[in-house]
Amino acid sequence: TQVFDCEYGNGVDKIGDAKIVFAATDPKVLDITDLGQLRIFRGNEGRVFVGRVLEILTGQDASGQATCEVVLDDIARDLADGNTGLGLTLTDVSPTGMLSAIFGAVNAESGTNFASGSVDSNTVTLRKRHDADGGWAAIIADAPVWSMHARHDSITNPVAPVVDLGAFGADSGL
């Protein structure tokens, strides 16, 4: 596949995105469909991004060659679009318990298979009710209770996308 340009990014408390520009004459471009899934591999690093196709745009590059630009959202968008349902009540839960409850509700509602990844431990517990919140929004709203942030990881586990919770980027005091 002839790729002219590829940009991707992901961040703490954010859903990543990507853009890939292909030669429009490449026959594999015809296999790309709206909401289809694409994976980006980079040299010896392997898979660095997994996303869902949002837009397929045709155009030309500076030399006049026909291009196909594909805009993607990280597959964590499925978690954002998934719903906690009405009355998801969290009672005295740990960070891992919060993730388990939200994933249970969202996975059942949307058919996804999100799972907990690396989760920092914390003795503080949470009591909260979620009413039809998006899964990602619920996690981002709850994580600060433990002074934590969320990070989606679609790379480590090829079977189930995972969400890590931790004090990412926190000052160690050293």
Side-chain angles (χ1 to χ4, degrees):
T1 303
Q2 188 176 3
V3 176
F4 293 141
D5 187 29
C6 179
E7 299 173 12
Y8 62 92
N10 211 345
V12 173
D13 296 333
K14 295 179 184 172
I15 294 175
D17 57 8
K19 176 185 82 167
I20 308 170
V21 180
F22 298 98
T25 55
D26 189 319
K28 291 186 180 179
V29 168
L30 298 174
D31 294 333
I32 300 171
T33 59
D34 286 337
L35 300 179
Q37 191 178 97
L38 289 180
R39 293 170 175 84
I40 299 173
F41 292 83
R42 182 175 171 184
N44 292 333
E45 292 180 57
R47 183 175 64 185
V48 294
F49 187 86
V50 180
R52 295 240 182 265
V53 175
L54 292 179
E55 284 185 287
I56 303 170
L57 309 167
T58 56
Q60 293 182 341
D61 66 10
S63 70
Q65 183 168 358
T67 62
C68 176
E69 180 178 315
V70 180
V71 179
L72 304 133
D73 253 353
D74 189 292
I75 59 171
R77 173 62 55 201
D78 293 346
L79 181 58
D81 293 343
N83 190 299
T84 61
L86 293 175
L88 175 64
T89 303
L90 307 175
T91 305
D92 297 327
V93 297
S94 66
T96 302
M98 178 269 293
L99 285 177
S100 294
I102 291 172
F103 292 149
V106 170
N107 290 344
E109 183 264 338
S110 64
T112 56
N113 62 340
F114 284 90
S116 297
S118 171
V119 180
D120 290 356
S121 62
N122 196 300
T123 58
V124 174
T125 58
L126 171 70
R127 286 178 178 235
K128 188 166 185 178
R129 178 182 165 117
H130 289 284
D131 285 308
D133 294 334
W136 185 255
I139 292 167
I140 298 304
D142 293 352
V145 168
W146 300 286
S147 300
M148 293 185 191
H149 297 278
R151 174 177 63 201
H152 174 246
D153 179 1
S154 62
I155 298 167
T156 306
N157 186 339
V159 177
V162 298
V163 174
D164 301 326
L165 279 183
F168 310 121
D171 186 350
S172 67
L174 296 177

